[in-house]
Amino acid sequence: FRTSVFLRGAGGFSDPSKPFTYSNYPVNPASAMKIPKTQPSAALLYRLSGDYNPLHSDPMIAKVAGGDADMVKSIFARFLLHVYPGEALITEMWLEGLRVIYQVKAKERNRAVLSGYVDLHRLAASL
């Protein structure tokens, strides 16, 4: 798992009387904090935001649709641009061997805002 974050103009995160140095940085930062986990009811909570897709909340629908999480080997995504509230998003996908390459565009600007790929262990019989 790898993540890169760029914050333009960001700074001032440390107490000015105690400047940040790597010498006082924890050896294992993950051990210094409890990693939160997704709640089992998270998909149902999304309905409050207007997500009424039964694929996201009903395990039987997901099974019928072929939602087999064991097929996914790895996922890579790169945010390319911001998305304005209210913009329509268009998702395009291409299958190349065991890799699904995808791109999401903001319809109104016809600009790619997200791109990446999903590597699969195997293909579903329906493909």
Side-chain angles (χ1 to χ4, degrees), residues 7-47:
L7 302 170
R8 256 187 268 172
F13 294 106
S14 61
D15 181 350
S17 65
K18 297 178 186 175
F20 174 80
T21 65
Y22 285 102
S23 63
N24 62 13
Y25 193 75
V27 177
N28 184 357
S31 66
M33 65 186 84
K34 182 180 177 189
I35 305 298
K37 296 189 181 204
T38 305
Q39 297 295 318
S41 61
L44 297 175
L45 181 62
Y46 297 149
R47 291 197 175 210

Side-chain angles (χ1 to χ4, degrees), residues 81-102:
L81 285 175
H82 53 277
V83 175
Y84 293 111
E87 282 188 309
L89 300 176
I90 299 170
T91 303
E92 301 170 317
M93 292 183 272
W94 301 269
L95 181 63
E96 291 189 2
L98 292 177
R99 177 171 281 183
V100 178
I101 300 168
Y102 64 88

